[in-house]
Amino acid sequence: MPNQKPRILNDYRDLLWSLIPLLLICVVFAALAQQCSFSPGTPATGNIPHFDVKAALQDDAHTLSFPIRQPSLPEHWTANSGSRDTISGAGGGTLSTVGYITPEGTYMQLTQSDATESALADHILQTRSPSGSQKVGDQTWTVFHVQGNEPAWITDFGTVRVLIKGAGNQSAYTTLAGSVDAAQPLHS
């Protein structure tokens, strides 16, 4: 008589008994790495990282060859990130990007660049194409939108193009666009 039963006699209980040791091993590794936590109920809001947007944009104004604007946003808009990037190739240029968390908890990105509008759109938005426009203050913003993705708005201030995008609602876009329009370029 063989020690193992024929494969045809295996059922779901045998599968469960073979998966239990694997699950236990996964739980042990997750506990050792401390990458998992169990928190019943609603998710807790984490702390927003501190980012000195004033110093970052002032540094960009001194370093970069195009005018940089620092929007004066309403209370509870919190700057949380910033970066610089470069678009190479035809129409390319340097990008200055800062990110904000709105009072509703959504992320909005502000990018300023000396790249052309098409180079900026191709770099940030990849496959999107213009789908309309929005007038905010003195500026007309070209709206880029693909169903299921967050929209992006781009406008031209002459020597600089400005792009805003994020998970915010229409009010967040209008607020950020209006604040950028009202801001004077920082002195370099």
Side-chain angles (χ1 to χ4, degrees), residues 16-87:
L16 288 176
W17 283 113
S18 64
L19 287 177
I20 289 174
L22 293 174
L23 290 174
L24 290 174
I25 291 170
C26 290
V27 168
V28 168
F29 277 119
L32 290 174
Q34 298 179 350
Q35 296 297 312
C36 294
S37 64
F38 178 71
S39 178
T42 60
T45 303
N47 294 331
I48 298 172
H50 173 72
F51 179 74
D52 190 351
V53 69
K54 183 177 180 178
L57 291 176
Q58 191 64 49
D59 184 53
D60 286 348
H62 287 300
T63 307
L64 302 176
S65 62
F66 55 90
I68 296 289
R69 295 169 184 261
Q70 179 181 343
S72 179
L73 291 162
E75 188 178 3
H76 302 299
W77 277 68
T78 307
N80 75 331
S81 60
S83 65
R84 281 191 200 155
D85 196 4
T86 302
I87 301 172

Side-chain angles (χ1 to χ4, degrees), residues 87-88 90-91 95 115-130 144 154 163:
I87 301 172
S88 57
L95 286 76
T116 63
E117 181 178 322
S118 61
L120 181 60
D122 289 344
H123 182 73
I124 302 286
L125 309 173
Q126 285 88 28
T127 60
R128 297 183 197 182
S129 59
F144 293 79
I154 299 178
L163 176 142

